[in-house]
Amino acid sequence: MMLAALEILTQANFWAAAIRIATPLIFGVLGALICERAGVLNLGIEGIFVAGAMSGWLAVYSGLPLWGGVAVAAGTGALFGLLHGVLTVPLGLSQHVTGLGITMLATSSTYFGYRVAFPNVSTPPRIEPFPPLHIPFLSELPFIGTVIGQQSAFTVLAFACVGAVAVLLARTPLGLAIRAVGDNPEAVEAQGLSVMGLRIGAVMAGSALMALGGAFLTLSAFNAFYFGMINGRGWVCIALTVFASWRPGKALIGALLFGALDAYQLRIQTIAGGVVPSQVFLMLPYLFSIAALVAVARRADYPRALMKPYFKGQR
Amino acid sequence: MHSDPSRPDSGSPNSRPLVLSLAGITKRFGALTANNAISLDIHAGEIVALLGENGAGKTTLMSILFGHYVADEGTIHIADATGALVPLPGGSAEAALGAGIGMVHQHFALAENLTGYENIILGTVPLWRPGFGRAAARRKIAGLMRQSGLAVDLDIPVGRLSVGEQQRVEILKALYRDVRVLILDEPTAVLTPQEADGLADTVRRLAASGLAVIFISHKLHEVLALCERIVVLRGGAKVADRPALGASRALLAELMVGRPIPTRQRTAGHPGTSVLRLAEVDVGRPGERDRLTGASLDLRTGEIVGIAGVSGNGQGALAALVAGLQPARAGVVEIAGQAVGSGPRQRLAAGVGRIPEDRHRDGTVGALSVAENYVLETIAAPENQRGGFMKGRAIRERAAAAITAYDIRCPGPDVAIRSLSGGNMQKVVLARVLERAPRLILAHQPTRGLDIGATTDVHRRLLAARDRGAGVLLISEDLDELFALADRIAVIHAGHLSEALPAEGLDVRTVGLMMAGHAGEAA
């Protein structure tokens, strides 16, 4: 049995699943990280996932191309981001309370919209999702080919976003300003930049990424929208952001680790399921999240101005 | 237009071109007039001191100049590139920066997670650009560093620099923007005397190159040594605008406060028996920034021992140890000759009175009333409660008596303490401590943020407590305060506490060197 447990790690299918599970989390962690780097905690993430999943899928269902659905999802996320940004930045409301409110608003209005659009449907209508990825030469390789063959172009977008966000934060004046506004908004104000504009913009961009995480589920991983399909993925991203120390590269590692654990527990259930209750394995990824947080969070270098509203002219 | 070309004297500020002109600036906040028709002209190459107590209107005036507030009345004109005076639109930090006004705030406007270099160029390059244009920026900064004599490592996160180094980054940041008027807000408050001297040199060099400097400070000797012109604000109005030459500290203090400040004769203490003894005490874990290692000290009744040092060198650990908030990991702690258990309750019972460093955080509870704050530390005592119920009337009466005795300006004992000014809040803390006639008073930065009037009052009360027989442990960054009060002075640096030496034998320079960690050179 031990051997079988280890053997899972050698299966291409396992690694393909790990990446597939990690992809929405990559979007989510990147989004949360951008918001928090700018000093705004966005607990609307869970609801924005739901809204992104549904809006992207609905757009494709009504005839838009798949990438059009991706754009619609991002736009929907940005809109909820705008709402969160306006409530927390110029108005300075509690970021916790507002974020949870956004999650409830986005989730319930999405469910409502779904029911209005499809009043009498018991099985959710389907769309044609993103096709499997085919890369010349790489797809022919034995192991790697199998792993790639189970991904889609949406996954490639996630990995590209990691690089793009990393470059944005580290190498561009805009990234510099975002990092600064989450550490000391007075410094940004004193340099003649708009704290409000930067923060709202960052929350909108971050929320758009979160919505892409949701859209991946309906446009690539599955082919329909279900109630409850987000299932806490957003909250996992909030924890992974701390684990990642607000760095895009580490965010990728954290998401992949979580994806691997989740894929692993699914497979080990079939091996050890008779001995240990399956719920124990279901807990594994979350236990990992808690353990990782305990290990990392004590030393975590939080953005200094995170969750601190800034009011102009007040020091 | 404001300069007088008929004056031949080329050294006089008035012969130099005018760079900034404020006329009739008035700003009201509700019923309060923070600035009342203030006019001020600043010339190129001039170092002007802006003096005034807390609430005199300095900060408001500078905030208006820097675009944080919009003036209700009055105009601001600033010289453009050709030297012609043009109006400065109010309410925009961007416009002020663009016009060449730079400000170094008392609380630095630096993002600590960015490097010095990144902080300097922040906001100077368009946001939508792939790169930073590093080479040109580097060259310009290197030139500025040479010209101003400001040296600092710009490639590590600012959070890892010392306070003095962070200030250099701040000044470079302003210079990088080609400022013509540089405002320094309390720049020496956080510096050691040596660093302050270095800053003064820098300011002189910058002024010599044509920069106008507005120097906000309340350290009168610095102002007199550095500035050529002194402007004094009081109650929102300009009450003096005069050359520094011929001014004295007593005169300036009087102008600021509006009444003569009684000069106090320094009296020697009469040390008696030991009231606090530390022997080889360790506090805090290795690697922590604010900690003590092998600290020894003997404080006796009837004396004030001053602890000098730049904040963050172990003062917090020492104060927490004495107050019982942090236990000693090693060594002996005795109060009045007895080993006392750690814990704030035990320390209070042993006769320790605590004036905490941050009265907002550790000294008072903002939402509670003045009376409730007044009895906060002794709420369990029989005079304050019976059977678990507060004796409301007795407490209010005692608080009202303290309000009279300590001249606490407030509407009454029932108002929330957070509505009081810093000085009056500190008087409540002081009254609370002194009421119990403690044998040991821990005074941690007791006058931080207070104006001259309130400071004088705190000093007088501490000396009176000493003469009554209390031992006072005075932790302060302000050397003037230490030399004015302390009978003996020890220096704390990087967790090490030096021997406490008689204050008469010490001078500011020696203590300053020790504060910077050069114990060997000082000895």
Side-chain angles (χ1 to χ4, degrees):
Chain A
M1 202 168 93
M2 277 304 289
L3 207 63
L6 282 176
E7 207 187 298
I8 293 173
L9 297 177
T10 64
Q11 298 166 1
N13 274 336
F14 161 74
W15 290 105
I19 292 175
R20 198 169 55 239
I21 295 168
T23 302
L25 302 179
I26 294 173
F27 283 116
V29 185
L30 286 179
L33 173 157
I34 290 180
C35 296
E36 293 182 23
R37 272 294 179 108
V40 181
L41 178 72
N42 191 351
L43 292 184
I45 183 168
E46 181 79 9
I48 293 173
F49 258 76
V50 179
M54 152 78 177
S55 61
W57 169 83
L58 189 64
V60 174
Y61 182 79
S62 8
L64 250 61
L66 282 165
W67 288 113
V70 172
V72 167
T76 309
L79 276 181
F80 280 109
L82 177 64
L83 179 62
H84 185 60
V86 167
L87 291 175
T88 54
V89 180
L91 298 181
L93 301 186
S94 156
Q95 298 182 2
H96 291 106
V97 178
T98 310
L100 292 175
I102 297 277
T103 282
M104 287 189 253
L105 174 73
T107 308
S108 46
S109 60
T110 299
Y111 288 175
F112 177 71
Y114 181 79
R115 268 293 162 238
V116 169
F118 306 97
N120 301 311
V121 182
S122 54
T123 46
R126 294 164 185 246
I127 54 145
E128 190 57 43
F130 274 94
L133 199 58
H134 183 87
I135 304 171
F137 180 67
L138 275 183
S139 292
E140 322 301 327
L141 295 174
F143 186 86
I144 295 172
T146 318
V147 175
I148 288 178
Q150 294 186 33
Q151 315 302 331
S152 76
F154 214 147
T155 308
V156 178
L157 178 67
F159 281 81
C161 281
V162 174
V165 171
V167 169
L168 171 85
L169 285 177
R171 297 254 171 258
T172 69
L174 180 63
L176 196 68
I178 291 173
R179 283 188 283 150
V181 84
D183 186 82
N184 187 351
E186 282 88 2
V188 173
E189 182 81 49
Q191 292 291 66
L193 298 172
S194 163
V195 173
M196 210 165 76
L198 281 165
R199 283 194 166 169
I200 292 182
V203 174
M204 288 179 71
S207 303
L209 282 172
M210 294 169 183
L212 290 187
F216 173 83
L217 294 174
T218 49
L219 298 184
S220 182
F222 306 101
N223 52 10
F225 175 77
Y226 309 93
F227 290 145
M229 76 188 301
I230 302 304
N231 195 19
R233 284 183 170 85
W235 305 137
V236 169
C237 292
I238 294 291
L240 285 177
T241 308
V242 181
F243 173 77
S245 315
W246 297 270
R247 288 171 200 285
K250 285 190 181 172
L252 177 64
I253 293 171
L256 287 173
L257 254 174
F258 189 92
L261 265 164
D262 206 18
Y264 191 77
Q265 64 90 7
L266 283 172
R267 280 158 182 74
I268 196 121
Q269 272 184 44
T270 59
I271 298 173
V275 194
V276 187
S278 63
Q279 285 84 351
V280 172
F281 296 112
L282 279 173
M283 287 193 317
L284 270 181
Y286 301 95
L287 288 176
F288 154 75
S289 304
I290 294 172
L293 272 186
V294 169
V296 176
R298 268 171 56 89
R299 301 179 275 116
D301 207 0
Y302 282 83
R304 271 195 312 154
L306 183 61
M307 288 185 275
K308 292 193 187 125
Y310 172 77
F311 299 105
K312 194 175 175 176
Q314 183 179 308
R315 22 185 64 244
Chain B
M1 59 196 243
H2 291 267
S3 60
D4 182 355
S6 66
R7 288 180 60 164
D9 167 9
S10 68
S12 128
N14 287 351
S15 66
R16 293 178 247 170
L18 194 61
V19 289
L20 179 69
S21 172
L22 305 173
I25 298 287
T26 299
K27 176 73 186 174
R28 295 183 197 89
F29 297 103
L32 177 82
T33 305
N35 283 168
N36 190 2
I38 295 176
S39 297
L40 183 61
D41 287 347
I42 310 282
H43 303 81
E46 198 178 16
I47 307 176
V48 180
L50 189 59
L51 281 178
E53 294 210 281
N54 293 336
K58 295 172 302 194
T59 311
T60 307
L61 187 65
M62 291 304 117
S63 297
I64 290 170
L65 184 54
F66 203 64
H68 288 314
Y69 296 138
V70 181
D72 297 326
E73 288 162 34
T75 56
I76 304 173
H77 284 79
I78 184 155
D80 66 10
T82 63
L85 288 177
V86 292
L88 178 74
S92 161
E94 213 173 345
L97 280 167
I101 298 172
M103 181 149 182
V104 175
H105 291 276
Q106 189 177 2
H107 306 285
F108 300 143
L110 293 172
E112 293 189 0
N113 57 347
L114 305 185
T115 67
Y117 167 74
E118 288 173 327
N119 266 289
I120 290 172
I121 64 161
L122 177 67
T124 62
V125 274
L127 290 181
W128 300 104
R129 214 170 96 165
F132 293 148
R134 282 171 194 275
R138 292 256 178 212
R139 268 198 305 280
K140 180 165 177 184
I141 296 171
L144 289 171
M145 285 172 103
R146 258 197 318 278
Q147 189 195 331
S148 63
L150 293 161
V152 58
D153 183 351
L154 291 177
D155 290 311
I156 60 174
V158 162
R160 281 198 247 143
L161 297 175
S162 75
V163 176
E165 289 168 324
Q166 291 186 6
Q167 188 177 57
R168 280 173 236 160
V169 175
E170 273 279 46
I171 297 175
L172 282 170
K173 197 171 91 179
L175 297 179
Y176 185 78
R177 295 254 184 171
D178 300 319
V179 291
R180 269 164 299 160
V181 180
L182 180 64
I183 305 164
L184 300 171
D185 186 8
E186 301 272 357
T188 59
V190 291
L191 302 182
T192 65
Q194 278 70 27
E195 285 175 318
D197 287 351
L199 175 70
D201 288 341
T202 303
V203 169
R204 285 195 193 93
R205 284 171 81 154
L206 293 173
S209 71
L211 188 73
V213 180
I214 301 178
F215 190 88
I216 303 174
S217 178
H218 61 246
K219 294 187 182 171
L220 301 176
H221 62 95
E222 275 173 17
V223 164
L224 287 168
L226 180 63
C227 303
E228 28 187 312
R229 215 175 102 210
I230 297 174
V231 174
V232 184
L233 300 186
R234 188 173 72 230
K238 188 166 90 169
V239 293
D241 187 344
R242 53 157 298 150
L245 208 66
S248 70
R249 290 170 70 162
L251 173 76
L252 293 177
E254 196 178 326
L255 281 169
M256 284 164 68
V257 183
R259 58 186 155 80
I261 296 289
T263 47
R264 189 178 32 74
Q265 286 301 312
R266 203 196 127 84
T267 54
H270 300 284
T273 56
S274 169
V275 61
L276 171 70
R277 192 172 79 85
L278 307 180
E280 297 294 322
V281 173
D282 289 355
V283 177
R285 298 182 180 283
E288 269 179 66
R289 225 164 77 83
D290 199 334
R291 67 194 198 98
L292 280 182
T293 45
S296 298
L297 180 74
D298 192 8
L299 171 66
R300 290 164 292 173
T301 57
E303 74 166 347
I304 298 180
V305 169
I307 308 291
V310 176
S311 162
N313 273 292
Q315 288 96 328
L318 177 61
L321 171 77
V322 175
L325 296 169
Q326 227 181 325
R329 283 160 48 80
V332 182
V333 180
E334 283 179 3
I335 289 173
Q338 305 211 308
V340 182
S342 181
R345 286 274 144 229
Q346 284 92 323
R347 292 297 156 87
L348 280 172
V352 178
R354 185 175 76 104
I355 303 174
E357 177 183 24
D358 186 337
R359 54 188 159 268
H360 299 280
R361 198 188 64 200
D362 307 322
T364 59
V365 182
L368 297 187
S369 72
V370 170
E372 286 163 337
N373 271 286
Y374 180 63
V375 295
L376 206 52
E377 290 187 329
T378 51
I379 194 64
E383 73 262 28
N384 293 328
Q385 60 92 28
R386 185 167 49 206
F389 291 95
M390 282 169 68
K391 293 180 176 175
R393 186 185 303 165
I395 289 172
R396 268 203 298 284
E397 276 168 11
R398 294 219 327 280
I403 287 172
T404 316
Y406 285 81
D407 188 25
I408 300 164
R409 310 273 166 86
C410 69
D414 293 322
V415 301
I417 199 165
R418 75 155 79 86
S419 67
L420 271 59
S421 75
N424 285 307
M425 206 184 271
Q426 191 73 327
K427 284 181 188 170
V428 176
V429 173
L430 203 61
R432 176 173 78 199
V433 167
L434 295 180
E435 181 211 31
R436 294 174 27 238
R439 57 164 72 127
L440 167 59
I441 297 173
L442 167 69
H444 193 181
Q445 303 254 47
T447 60
R448 187 163 84 167
L450 302 189
D451 56 30
I452 295 186
T455 299
T456 321
D457 201 60
V458 170
H459 287 175
R460 192 169 55 81
R461 302 255 180 209
L462 286 177
L463 283 170
R466 177 200 73 177
D467 292 339
R468 197 206 66 224
V472 181
L473 186 65
L474 173 66
I475 304 175
S476 179
E477 283 186 274
D478 183 348
L479 288 181
D480 291 343
E481 172 168 272
L482 289 168
F483 277 96
L485 295 184
D487 300 296
R488 289 187 294 149
I489 293 178
V491 174
I492 196 163
H493 180 264
H496 296 283
L497 188 62
S498 80
E499 194 190 340
L501 300 169
E504 278 87 41
L506 291 171
D507 61 62
V508 174
R509 291 211 70 78
T510 317
V511 175
L513 279 172
M514 289 163 75
M515 280 165 71
H518 305 290
E521 295 166 45

